[in-house]
Amino acid sequence: MDRAWVTSMSPNVESVANPLAAACESGYVPDEIYILGNPGLSSYLDSVTSVLERIVVEYGSKTPEITVTNLDNETEFGRIVEHYRTPVLSAHETDGTVAVDVTPGRKFMSAIAFQAGIQYDADHVFYLYLSEGQFYGRIFPDVPNQALDLIDFQVVF
């Protein structure tokens, strides 16, 4: 593992794709992506993975390896924790780097992602802050830079 990106699904493709695009724009281009699949969102998975692959390739990397953790029930809290913990610990063992994205997903999933990223010492715990509501649902290149802020909570803490 060189660089990993760990995130969760959303029916809003932009909430999954935009943080990755912002990270790539800032120089963090992953070669592995881990996605937490929520059972009610399986119909969006192909669209989301296609967009994530395209973003990484456009930033000059090879097509990333994508691993999906599919939940049978969205409240499988142990499996959600494991989805975030495993790539973070693996990165430590292989001298890789890992970024946890807490932007998309249900609130409790984001809370678990945040806690796991901090507790297991991910290299980055990212949140893409969008300061103006008029840009919700717009893809990264269509949002002015001044309306976006990629926050790394590892820096904040």
Side-chain angles (χ1 to χ4, degrees), residues 14-81:
E14 295 81 8
S15 71
V16 183
N18 287 352
L20 176 60
C24 289
E25 186 73 18
S26 297
Y28 189 87
V29 181
D31 38 38
E32 294 181 43
I33 297 174
Y34 296 83
I35 301 173
L36 180 63
N38 190 328
L41 303 177
S42 59
S43 63
Y44 298 96
L45 186 60
D46 288 341
S47 296
V48 168
T49 57
S50 175
V51 170
L52 297 181
E53 287 176 350
R54 177 74 185 263
I55 289 168
V56 170
V57 168
E58 289 298 320
Y59 278 92
S61 187
K62 62 181 174 40
T63 301
E65 179 181 326
I66 295 182
T67 303
V68 179
T69 301
N70 286 306
L71 301 175
D72 294 323
N73 183 313
E74 72 177 5
T75 58
E76 293 179 75
F77 301 121
R79 289 199 61 218
I80 297 169
V81 171

Side-chain angles (χ1 to χ4, degrees), residues 119-133:
Q119 180 176 341
Y120 299 113
D121 200 27
D123 298 282
H124 305 281
V125 178
F126 286 128
Y127 176 74
L128 184 63
Y129 176 70
L130 188 58
S131 66
E132 298 181 37

Side-chain angles (χ1 to χ4, degrees), residues 109-123:
M109 289 182 182
S110 293
I112 292 169
F114 181 86
Q115 177 64 23
I118 297 296
Q119 180 176 341
Y120 299 113
D121 200 27
D123 298 282

